[in-house]
Amino acid sequence: MSRTSGRTVEGRGRLGSVLSGLAVALGCVLFLGGFAWGAIEYQPYTVPTESMVPTIKAGDRILAQRIDGSDIKRGDVIVFKQKSWGDMLLVKRVVAVGGDTVACCTNGKLTVNGKQIDEPYLAKGQAAESSQIPTVEVPKDRLFLLGDERSGSLDSTAHLTEAFNGTVARSAVKARVDAIAWPMNGMLARPAGFEKLGGISSPGPLRLVLTAIVVGAVLVLGGAAYGPIAKRLVSAAGRGRSSPVPPEASGWGSVEDSSGGGPRKVARVVLLDAEDRILLLHGHEPDDPADDWWFTPGGGLEGDETHEEAALRELVEETGITEVELGPVLWQRSCSFPFAGRRWDQDEWYFLARTTQKGTVAAGLTELERRSVAGARWWTCRELTEAHETVYPTRLAGLLRRLLDEGPPARPEILDTEIV
């Protein structure tokens, strides 16, 4: 592993992890924020009657934006409560507002202020009203309401003999219907026929609310899926780009030929002494000693070795240390990187180990390792934290600090996948 390529591997892995975390965090904000926004802005209702057919049927669940009655315009479908109409929540359409003159019918159409209104939301072939509506002047701050099912709707036409000619006060309005949530018929069509009388209402923020929720869910799922996807990419890289590994590289954390089933299993050792110092090897590019870094002892499994057997064998070959108490697997990591002119794809297990030996003798190095391993050193956690040298994994100082403070994890921690 070259220092440059290794940095790219670790850097991209860490960048991917950071971006993944940001995506999940932003997704949670959007997802939960969208629901909170929707809960503040909208109230669901179940429509009990057929008075708004075909626009809204009995039993439909609607989403109505909480809105002040002063903001209601012609054409809006509203939820309201009028004591003289039964003191229950009702759903009707506003066809005229204070100051308007409404009547029916002229050429089979409703008229407001003398203008004939196109009402495409009525059932095909249905008249604008089943009976004549006398000319009504709507009092200030009141609304004239009709159901879209004109033949049987108990609307303003059924209350013409009451005070205010069957109109309803703006203060009785609870909300304006924006959409049918169930069945999922979507947003209500805007009442364009009333535009000739002035502006009509714009839709509420429901589309933005839904967009926030959907985008948030996508970011959460996408961010959470980063790790598994990246791991699959490592395997794909190993199958598609790895070149055969020469025998002399077998101890150097090597990988199998792609024809052998993808990344080779690698065992590494987090070796601590009685003073809680960690042993690291000093490596470099075979042809460029200035391109150097520090890393944990370890290498690839050989034959039918277990991870534990490979960890102990590699430790003896690379350090000469034999008095070892091998502990549990601390971390697991997948990576793919170029080194010594080849691509290396690895699935690494990091074992905790303890020893009382201090001296090291690298008597079992392969030819490639002799050209790329310069020595070994014991490091304190503080030295690692303050080090300016390149150390792999790059989070090793923080991982070691947590290990010393909290002990081994209950199960192996999956480190960031690293690909270059």
Side-chain angles (χ1 to χ4, degrees):
M1 179 194 302
S2 75
R3 181 176 60 180
T4 303
S5 65
R7 281 176 178 166
T8 308
V9 169
E10 296 277 358
R12 290 189 181 180
R14 295 177 68 192
L15 177 60
S17 178
V18 169
L19 293 178
S20 171
L22 288 175
V24 171
L26 178 59
C28 287
V29 170
L30 289 173
F31 187 77
L32 298 177
F35 269 109
W37 187 12
I40 292 171
E41 287 281 344
Y42 286 91
Q43 175 71 41
Y45 296 93
T46 299
V47 178
T49 71
E50 300 281 349
S51 67
M52 285 297 294
V53 171
T55 305
I56 305 172
K57 300 178 177 63
D60 285 358
R61 291 282 286 179
I62 58 175
L63 289 176
Q65 184 185 10
R66 296 182 175 93
I67 191 171
D68 189 82
S70 61
D71 295 324
I72 295 299
K73 296 182 179 180
R74 303 177 189 91
D76 288 344
V77 176
I78 63 170
V79 179
F80 68 99
K81 181 184 286 190
Q82 176 76 6
K83 188 172 183 179
S84 62
W85 291 30
D87 200 25
M88 60 183 294
L89 291 174
L90 300 171
V91 179
K92 304 294 179 188
R93 187 181 297 273
V94 177
V95 297
V97 298
D100 287 345
T101 299
V102 60
C104 191
C105 296
T106 301
N107 297 324
K109 291 186 177 181
L110 182 74
T111 63
V112 179
N113 299 337
K115 296 181 179 179
Q116 298 178 26
I117 305 300
D118 294 323
E119 298 184 280
Y121 43 77
L122 299 180
K124 187 175 181 180
Q126 179 179 337
E129 183 54 62
S130 60
S131 61
Q132 290 291 326
I133 300 177
T135 300
V136 175
E137 184 173 335
V138 182
K140 182 181 179 181
D141 293 329
R142 298 189 72 86
L143 308 169
F144 195 87
L145 310 177
L146 295 177
D148 287 356
E149 203 294 292
R150 298 289 163 81
S151 62
S153 175
L154 297 178
D155 47 35
S156 289
T157 61
H159 299 272
L160 291 174
T161 59
E162 298 176 5
F164 305 106
N165 298 322
T167 59
V168 171
R170 284 183 178 271
S171 60
V173 174
K174 303 299 182 184
R176 182 187 62 206
V177 180
D178 261 2
I180 302 173
W182 188 262
M184 292 183 287
N185 293 339
M187 303 290 290
L188 295 189
R190 306 319 293 171
F194 289 92
E195 287 182 316
K196 63 184 70 175
L197 300 173
I200 60 175
S201 296
S202 298
L206 183 58
R207 285 193 174 93
L208 290 177
V209 170
L210 294 177
T211 298
I213 292 172
V214 171
V215 171
V218 170
L219 287 174
V220 169
L221 294 175
Y226 165 78
I229 291 174
K231 191 168 184 178
R232 286 177 177 269
L233 290 176
V234 171
S235 293
R239 288 191 296 271
R241 294 182 293 180
S242 294
S243 42
V245 178
E248 67 270 18
S250 62
W252 181 248
S254 58
V255 298
E256 290 181 346
D257 185 359
S258 59
S259 62
R264 186 179 180 182
K265 296 176 176 60
V266 172
R268 294 198 172 279
V269 181
V270 179
L271 184 63
L272 304 180
D273 66 5
E275 300 172 16
D276 286 336
R277 297 181 302 172
I278 185 173
L279 182 65
L280 298 180
L281 303 182
H282 190 194
H284 57 79
E285 274 287 340
D287 299 323
D288 186 8
D291 189 1
D292 64 338
W293 63 94
W294 294 85
F295 65 102
T296 57
L301 276 63
E302 295 181 356
D304 57 357
E305 275 185 323
T306 65
H307 283 83
E308 291 83 354
E309 291 169 342
L312 293 173
R313 174 184 52 76
E314 289 286 339
L315 193 60
V316 172
E317 293 175 354
E318 296 177 350
T319 69
I321 294 178
T322 58
E323 298 176 10
V324 175
E325 179 185 345
L326 193 65
V329 178
L330 299 173
W331 317 310
Q332 293 180 4
R333 181 180 75 156
S334 296
C335 57
S336 175
F337 54 88
F339 167 71
R342 293 182 174 86
R343 173 156 292 278
W344 306 70
D345 303 285
Q346 303 186 166
D347 179 14
E348 301 180 340
W349 289 20
Y350 288 77
F351 285 87
L352 173 63
R354 290 278 186 176
T355 186
T356 56
Q357 287 184 245
K358 298 292 182 69
T360 62
V361 179
L365 298 183
T366 65
E367 187 277 332
L368 177 59
E369 290 171 336
R370 286 193 294 272
R371 292 168 49 212
S372 56
V373 177
R377 172 187 165 184
W378 293 95
W379 295 70
T380 66
C381 187
R382 181 173 181 176
E383 287 172 338
L384 271 183
T385 303
E386 298 175 350
H388 296 292
E389 290 92 341
T390 302
V391 178
Y392 297 115
T394 54
R395 293 176 51 211
L396 183 58
L399 292 168
L400 179 59
R401 180 72 274 160
R402 190 166 67 206
L403 172 64
L404 296 177
D405 290 343
E406 303 176 7
R411 63 185 61 184
E413 179 181 351
I414 307 301
L415 303 185
D416 296 338
T417 298
E418 298 145 10
I419 307 172
V420 63

